[in-house]
Amino acid sequence: MNPEPAAIAETRLLHKMHRAATSLLVDGAQRDTAPSAALAELRDFLVAALRHHHESEDDVLWPQLIAADSAAGVGLIALGAEHEALEAALGTLAAVPVQDGEDRAGLVAAATGVRDLVHKHLDHEEPVLFPALAAHMSDEAWTEFSREVIASAPPVGAHLNLGFFEQVGTPAELALIAANLPHEALQFVPAMREQARATLDSLQSTEPGRTVTA
């Protein structure tokens, strides 16, 4: 069996991270015991990461794939329209205050809207994107694209990228990500891992708490 293309393996990992992170924000916002600082940290990370991800697709990846296969353009353009809806939802999420205790109805509603759009969008995207990547994106071309994306990624909550990847990724997927990290960044991985673990543990706590409803 031929190994899975790096483009698909890495994109699948990123999608697993986006599903997990958006779900965790909703779950945490519904528990009044979740620390407001950790919720704000996760919210700010998600807004920055999702915007950067979709801009990279719209501005770089989609044009490359469409140039290689114009027939793929119809599906990719439709996905771009979903990005616009998600951008509006991200704007709402970015603006909502993160309150202590039970006063989180606005955050719950905004986070739920983003989570639902992200999950639906990824369900639509993968059947279109994965075949296009398999047909038209070599491992070498993907590595170049991936390194450009990593280099231009916003620093907001960068440790949470690592934390979620390690929670949802397989060893093979994590090795792909590590291979594209700048060498000088590797020295910061242990500290980033600990920082992410502290935040995620506080939000994934099994400690009982009252549920906040929108």
Side-chain angles (χ1 to χ4, degrees), residues 70-90:
S70 59
V74 174
L76 294 174
I77 289 170
L79 293 171
E82 291 186 1
H83 288 175
E84 295 178 5
L86 181 55
E87 173 57 32
L90 289 172

Side-chain angles (χ1 to χ4, degrees), residues 48-71:
L50 287 169
R51 281 175 168 163
H52 178 253
H53 175 65
H54 295 143
E55 287 169 1
S56 298
E57 289 181 333
D58 290 336
D59 297 342
V60 182
L61 187 59
W62 284 183
Q64 288 183 14
L65 294 174
I66 292 170
D69 180 6
S70 59

Side-chain angles (χ1 to χ4, degrees), residues 43-181:
R43 185 273 305 273
D44 293 346
F45 160 71
L46 269 174
V47 170
L50 287 169
R51 281 175 168 163
H52 178 253
H53 175 65
H54 295 143
E55 287 169 1
S56 298
E57 289 181 333
D58 290 336
D59 297 342
V60 182
L61 187 59
W62 284 183
Q64 288 183 14
L65 294 174
I66 292 170
D69 180 6
S70 59
V74 174
L76 294 174
I77 289 170
L79 293 171
E82 291 186 1
H83 288 175
E84 295 178 5
L86 181 55
E87 173 57 32
L90 289 172
T92 299
L93 179 60
V96 72
V98 181
Q99 305 285 359
D100 288 321
E102 297 180 73
D103 189 16
R104 290 179 176 159
L107 178 63
V108 171
T112 299
V114 169
R115 179 201 62 189
D116 292 350
L117 281 172
V118 166
H119 285 227
K120 181 175 71 173
H121 173 67
L122 296 180
D123 287 344
H124 293 166
E125 180 176 286
E126 289 170 352
V128 176
L129 178 58
F130 287 176
L133 291 174
H136 304 296
M137 184 66 66
S138 68
D139 284 353
E140 294 76 15
W142 177 260
T143 295
E144 181 179 353
F145 168 74
S146 182
R147 288 177 176 172
E148 289 177 359
V149 170
I150 290 172
S152 62
V156 180
H159 57 287
L160 293 178
N161 256 325
L162 177 64
F164 278 113
F165 284 154
E166 292 192 340
Q167 286 194 351
V168 305
T170 66
E173 289 169 338
L174 295 176
L176 279 174
I177 295 294
N180 289 327
L181 286 176

